[in-house]
PDB file of all heavy atoms in Angstrom:
ATOM      1  N   ARG A  42       8.569  13.770   6.587  1.00  0.00           N
ATOM      2  CA  ARG A  42       8.198  14.451   5.349  1.00  0.00           C
ATOM      3  C   ARG A  42       6.701  14.293   5.105  1.00  0.00           C
ATOM      4  O   ARG A  42       6.004  15.248   4.762  1.00  0.00           O
ATOM      5  CB  ARG A  42       9.009  13.844   4.195  1.00  0.00           C
ATOM      6  CG  ARG A  42       8.723  14.435   2.829  1.00  0.00           C
ATOM      7  CD  ARG A  42       7.766  13.568   2.069  1.00  0.00           C
ATOM      8  NE  ARG A  42       7.710  13.922   0.648  1.00  0.00           N
ATOM      9  CZ  ARG A  42       6.783  13.481  -0.180  1.00  0.00           C
ATOM     10  NH1 ARG A  42       5.825  12.688   0.267  1.00  0.00           N
ATOM     11  NH2 ARG A  42       6.796  13.813  -1.443  1.00  0.00           N
ATOM     12  N   ASP A  43       6.201  13.069   5.287  1.00  0.00           N
ATOM     13  CA  ASP A  43       4.789  12.816   5.008  1.00  0.00           C
ATOM     14  C   ASP A  43       3.866  13.470   6.034  1.00  0.00           C
ATOM     15  O   ASP A  43       2.734  13.816   5.727  1.00  0.00           O
ATOM     16  CB  ASP A  43       4.520  11.309   4.950  1.00  0.00           C
ATOM     17  CG  ASP A  43       4.949  10.727   3.614  1.00  0.00           C
ATOM     18  OD1 ASP A  43       4.937  11.481   2.624  1.00  0.00           O
ATOM     19  OD2 ASP A  43       5.313   9.545   3.550  1.00  0.00           O
ATOM     20  N   LEU A  44       4.353  13.616   7.266  1.00  0.00           N
ATOM     21  CA  LEU A  44       3.485  14.198   8.296  1.00  0.00           C
ATOM     22  C   LEU A  44       3.560  15.715   8.358  1.00  0.00           C
ATOM     23  O   LEU A  44       2.570  16.370   8.646  1.00  0.00           O
ATOM     24  CB  LEU A  44       3.835  13.622   9.670  1.00  0.00           C
ATOM     25  CG  LEU A  44       2.898  12.511  10.101  1.00  0.00           C
ATOM     26  CD1 LEU A  44       3.373  11.169   9.604  1.00  0.00           C
ATOM     27  CD2 LEU A  44       2.731  12.507  11.600  1.00  0.00           C
ATOM     28  N   TYR A  45       4.731  16.263   8.123  1.00  0.00           N
ATOM     29  CA  TYR A  45       4.910  17.676   8.469  1.00  0.00           C
ATOM     30  C   TYR A  45       5.232  18.608   7.308  1.00  0.00           C
ATOM     31  O   TYR A  45       5.350  19.802   7.507  1.00  0.00           O
ATOM     32  CB  TYR A  45       5.981  17.813   9.557  1.00  0.00           C
ATOM     33  CG  TYR A  45       5.577  17.184  10.855  1.00  0.00           C
ATOM     34  CD1 TYR A  45       6.135  15.989  11.289  1.00  0.00           C
ATOM     35  CD2 TYR A  45       4.585  17.774  11.633  1.00  0.00           C
ATOM     36  CE1 TYR A  45       5.740  15.405  12.478  1.00  0.00           C
ATOM     37  CE2 TYR A  45       4.178  17.196  12.828  1.00  0.00           C
ATOM     38  CZ  TYR A  45       4.764  16.017  13.247  1.00  0.00           C
ATOM     39  OH  TYR A  45       4.360  15.444  14.411  1.00  0.00           O
ATOM     40  N   THR A  46       5.429  18.082   6.094  1.00  0.00           N
ATOM     41  CA  THR A  46       5.789  19.009   5.009  1.00  0.00           C
ATOM     42  C   THR A  46       4.872  18.884   3.799  1.00  0.00           C
ATOM     43  O   THR A  46       5.179  19.399   2.741  1.00  0.00           O
ATOM     44  CB  THR A  46       7.242  18.806   4.523  1.00  0.00           C
ATOM     45  OG1 THR A  46       7.332  17.534   3.888  1.00  0.00           O
ATOM     46  CG2 THR A  46       8.226  18.877   5.664  1.00  0.00           C
ATOM     47  N   ARG A  47       3.732  18.186   3.962  1.00  0.00           N
ATOM     48  CA  ARG A  47       2.923  17.975   2.752  1.00  0.00           C
ATOM     49  C   ARG A  47       2.028  19.153   2.412  1.00  0.00           C
ATOM     50  O   ARG A  47       1.325  19.139   1.419  1.00  0.00           O
ATOM     51  CB  ARG A  47       2.158  16.670   2.818  1.00  0.00           C
ATOM     52  CG  ARG A  47       1.260  16.509   4.020  1.00  0.00           C
ATOM     53  CD  ARG A  47       0.748  15.094   4.055  1.00  0.00           C
ATOM     54  NE  ARG A  47      -0.151  14.869   2.947  1.00  0.00           N
ATOM     55  CZ  ARG A  47      -1.476  14.848   3.063  1.00  0.00           C
ATOM     56  NH1 ARG A  47      -2.039  15.056   4.224  1.00  0.00           N
ATOM     57  NH2 ARG A  47      -2.238  14.617   2.019  1.00  0.00           N
ATOM     58  N   ARG A  48       2.018  20.187   3.225  1.00  0.00           N
ATOM     59  CA  ARG A  48       1.234  21.378   2.875  1.00  0.00           C
ATOM     60  C   ARG A  48       2.148  22.600   2.751  1.00  0.00           C
ATOM     61  O   ARG A  48       1.839  23.671   3.249  1.00  0.00           O
ATOM     62  CB  ARG A  48       0.146  21.607   3.920  1.00  0.00           C
ATOM     63  CG  ARG A  48      -0.877  20.492   3.937  1.00  0.00           C
ATOM     64  CD  ARG A  48      -2.014  20.746   4.894  1.00  0.00           C
ATOM     65  NE  ARG A  48      -2.918  19.602   4.963  1.00  0.00           N
ATOM     66  CZ  ARG A  48      -2.742  18.560   5.775  1.00  0.00           C
ATOM     67  NH1 ARG A  48      -1.705  18.525   6.593  1.00  0.00           N
ATOM     68  NH2 ARG A  48      -3.604  17.564   5.776  1.00  0.00           N
ATOM     69  N   ASN A  49       3.277  22.388   2.155  1.00  0.00           N
ATOM     70  CA  ASN A  49       4.242  23.472   1.917  1.00  0.00           C
ATOM     71  C   ASN A  49       4.775  24.117   3.188  1.00  0.00           C
ATOM     72  O   ASN A  49       5.071  25.302   3.210  1.00  0.00           O
ATOM     73  CB  ASN A  49       3.624  24.590   1.070  1.00  0.00           C
ATOM     74  CG  ASN A  49       3.419  24.131  -0.350  1.00  0.00           C
ATOM     75  OD1 ASN A  49       4.198  23.315  -0.850  1.00  0.00           O
ATOM     76  ND2 ASN A  49       2.388  24.618  -0.993  1.00  0.00           N
ATOM     77  N   GLU A  50       4.863  23.328   4.265  1.00  0.00           N
ATOM     78  CA  GLU A  50       5.334  23.916   5.509  1.00  0.00           C
ATOM     79  C   GLU A  50       6.830  24.176   5.506  1.00  0.00           C
ATOM     80  O   GLU A  50       7.329  24.919   6.330  1.00  0.00           O
ATOM     81  CB  GLU A  50       5.028  23.020   6.711  1.00  0.00           C
ATOM     82  CG  GLU A  50       3.565  22.916   7.050  1.00  0.00           C
ATOM     83  CD  GLU A  50       2.902  21.745   6.356  1.00  0.00           C
ATOM     84  OE1 GLU A  50       3.414  21.321   5.299  1.00  0.00           O
ATOM     85  OE2 GLU A  50       1.874  21.268   6.849  1.00  0.00           O
ATOM     86  N   GLY A  51       7.544  23.519   4.605  1.00  0.00           N
ATOM     87  CA  GLY A  51       8.983  23.666   4.751  1.00  0.00           C
ATOM     88  C   GLY A  51       9.787  23.386   3.510  1.00  0.00           C
ATOM     89  O   GLY A  51       9.327  22.760   2.557  1.00  0.00           O
ATOM     90  N   THR A  52      11.008  23.858   3.544  1.00  0.00           N
ATOM     91  CA  THR A  52      11.980  23.555   2.493  1.00  0.00           C
ATOM     92  C   THR A  52      13.202  22.876   3.100  1.00  0.00           C
ATOM     93  O   THR A  52      14.149  22.569   2.407  1.00  0.00           O
ATOM     94  CB  THR A  52      12.438  24.835   1.778  1.00  0.00           C
ATOM     95  OG1 THR A  52      12.967  25.715   2.779  1.00  0.00           O
ATOM     96  CG2 THR A  52      11.292  25.516   1.070  1.00  0.00           C
TER      97      THR A  52
END
Side-chain angles (χ1 to χ4, degrees):
Chain A
R42 179 262 194 193
D43 281 332
L44 261 88
Y45 295 106
T46 67
R47 56 189 292 258
R48 295 184 185 86
N49 289 328
E50 291 92 335
T52 57

